[in-house]
Amino acid sequence: MAHEVVERVEQIGPKLAALADENEKLGKLSGETVALLREAGVMRLLQPKRHGGYAAHPRDFAEAVMAVARHDGAAGWVCGVVGVHPWEIAQMDPRVGQEIWGENQDVWAASPYMPNGIADPVDGGYVLSGRWPFSSGTDHCDWVFLGALVGDGKGKPASPPAVMHVVLPRSDYEIVQDSWNVIGLSGTGSKDVVVDKAFLPAHRTVDQDEVSGGEAALRNGVEEPLYRLPFTSMFPLGITAAVIGICEGGLEAHLAAQRDRVTVIGVQVRDDPYVLSAAGEAAAEIAASRVQLIEGISALHERVAAGETPTMEDRARIRRNQVRCAWRAVSALDEIFARSGGNVIRRDNPLQRFWRDAHVGLQHMIHVPGSAYHSSTLSQMGIELPPQLRVMV
């Protein structure tokens, strides 16, 4: 049975689709799109119940992201990225959730997590400076998660390096408005953010390794299985779900166009076995990607709910499959795009936007296949992963 949020997304789907072109031209989500997403409750799926959220199964989150992306890839991407941040907020010092949602439970937080800043220790916390690209949906967010290296007190990284995730309010960072000019996922508005010597209270920080292993949740008295899943399984989930949803949308656009298409030699495409065969194969590949992604996170959730700690091999296998899901789905989309005829390149054909969005989605670091496949194979061999491979597992 579909979660009520997924059902609401399906109801507003045509409205989301109608706004997709506008979002692309704006270079960010429109106010109307944001209002629809708030109404549907997508960003509250992983939000803790004490702050008005659903604390839903991660499967429901992935399905909601796919449903949005099937109508508008950019909106789905923002849901996949911004929608996972309530999951991490739930694991932090309780003061953080109260600061963010105490007055308004619909407040959103952006990111990115790459450690592009230095957080120098001072009394009561840190002083943070840096510049971070790719802050998806940031124009509609009042807070931001950022990755930061702990400093040595002199503006340089401490040794050995230590990475934190830190949270800042909108008043402490600047959005660089002209920093997002791209060929796909334009509507995500994934602009740069800049922080210049902002004070960061210690309670708004969390060690990256503690989030990766579920220790942060337990330390703060959070016992629900949802919030003890590894960061390296949950954060990729939303992004890959968006890519799969985009490919599902592209498939739907392809089938709608081919139903009555006639080729230059007068043959109806519905009578062309080669095009139809390719579409059937692509549909199977995209469906397989959906199933494998959901199966992986569901199995991990079951293990944690049973009181077990996922092994590194478990985590590496799920990461491997998650990466492969994205590449499999986009490869399938390529096959049908190549058989969609000359008119597919026109700006008013939605398939070309899905195709561009999907390929830009593959450029995210969580979709780099080499290290994910490498890590999984080593784990299957019983070989301990070196530090540089453990980071994303």
Side-chain angles (χ1 to χ4, degrees):
M1 180 176 179
H3 192 281
E4 61 185 277
V5 171
V6 179
E7 293 178 345
R8 286 200 291 268
V9 170
E10 297 293 358
Q11 292 168 5
I12 64 172
K15 294 180 180 178
L16 290 171
L19 293 164
D21 281 337
E22 179 185 356
N23 294 334
E24 181 163 59
K25 291 171 184 175
L26 287 172
K28 64 179 182 180
L29 297 186
S30 66
E32 190 173 352
T33 296
V34 170
L36 288 169
L37 297 177
R38 290 191 194 280
E39 179 184 346
V42 181
M43 303 304 188
R44 289 198 192 191
L45 275 167
L46 302 181
Q47 198 161 312
K49 291 181 179 179
R50 66 181 180 275
H51 289 297
Y54 293 93
H57 194 290
R59 173 193 60 242
D60 298 325
F61 173 63
E63 291 183 341
V65 171
M66 290 181 200
V68 174
R70 192 162 63 249
H71 299 289
D72 178 2
W77 183 273
V78 171
C79 289
V81 175
V82 175
V84 83
H85 298 148
W87 169 84
E88 184 168 357
I89 294 167
Q91 302 172 53
M92 298 181 71
D93 187 302
R95 287 175 286 181
V96 179
Q98 187 59 33
E99 288 171 338
I100 294 174
W101 295 310
E103 296 183 2
N104 181 359
Q105 295 177 336
D106 271 325
V107 168
W108 295 359
S111 48
Y113 289 102
M114 64 184 70
N116 273 27
I118 304 294
D120 267 328
V122 296
D123 288 343
Y126 303 84
V127 172
L128 178 70
S129 295
R131 178 167 177 154
W132 293 257
F134 307 121
S135 184
S136 297
T138 198
D139 287 298
H140 303 289
C141 297
D142 296 312
W143 292 76
V144 69
F145 263 107
L146 299 172
L149 291 166
V150 177
D152 62 0
K154 300 177 182 179
K156 300 293 184 182
S159 183
V163 179
M164 299 188 301
H165 295 172
V166 306
V167 182
L168 285 83
R170 182 67 185 83
S171 58
D172 286 353
Y173 60 94
E174 174 191 355
I175 298 172
V176 184
Q177 292 295 339
D178 62 352
S179 57
W180 188 240
N181 184 16
V182 291
I183 62 171
L185 292 176
S186 299
T188 64
S190 302
K191 301 169 184 176
D192 292 12
V193 298
V194 176
V195 178
D196 184 19
K197 298 178 180 177
F199 174 68
L200 183 66
H203 73 270
R204 290 204 216 120
T205 71
V206 62
D207 183 272
Q208 178 172 272
D209 289 339
E210 289 190 356
V211 178
S212 293
E215 291 91 347
L218 292 175
R219 181 162 50 80
N220 287 300
V222 180
E223 298 181 352
E224 295 101 316
L226 169 66
Y227 300 116
R228 292 189 287 117
L229 291 167
F231 174 84
T232 46
S233 302
M234 285 297 292
F235 182 65
L237 176 67
I239 296 174
T240 301
V243 170
I244 294 171
I246 289 167
C247 293
E248 290 177 335
L251 175 64
E252 290 179 5
H254 171 77
L255 295 176
Q258 302 313 304
R259 181 185 300 273
D260 297 315
R261 178 180 155 224
V262 178
T263 69
V264 292
I265 59 173
V267 175
Q268 282 196 314
V269 170
R270 69 177 69 176
D271 297 325
D272 186 331
Y274 305 107
V275 173
L276 299 188
S277 176
E281 183 176 3
E285 290 295 280
I286 294 169
S289 295
R290 165 185 275 266
V291 170
Q292 190 172 36
L293 183 71
I294 292 174
E295 187 278 332
I297 198 65
S298 297
L300 196 65
H301 184 271
E302 287 177 11
R303 293 204 66 170
V304 174
E308 302 175 22
T309 299
T311 65
M312 190 57 67
E313 183 176 350
D314 293 332
R315 290 163 57 169
R317 182 182 66 256
I318 287 167
R319 273 284 287 133
R320 176 199 70 193
N321 291 348
Q322 164 256 316
V323 171
R324 187 61 200 148
C325 286
W327 282 86
R328 182 194 300 116
V330 176
S331 295
L333 183 61
D334 283 344
E335 291 298 318
I336 56 178
F337 184 86
R339 293 168 173 81
S340 291
N343 285 321
V344 75
I345 65 174
R346 299 186 185 280
R347 286 282 183 180
D348 61 356
N349 188 319
L351 178 51
Q352 55 79 28
R353 188 184 64 250
F354 283 120
W355 183 73
R356 287 185 288 108
D357 288 350
H359 278 275
V360 170
L362 280 187
Q363 297 303 116
H364 195 285
M365 66 175 295
I366 65 118
H367 288 142
V368 174
S371 59
Y373 298 164
H374 182 181
S375 299
S376 179
T377 303
L378 285 179
S379 294
Q380 286 183 299
M381 292 177 174
I383 299 172
E384 185 174 353
L385 300 183
Q388 68 270 23
L389 290 180
R390 293 176 67 94
V391 171
M392 285 303 294
V393 175

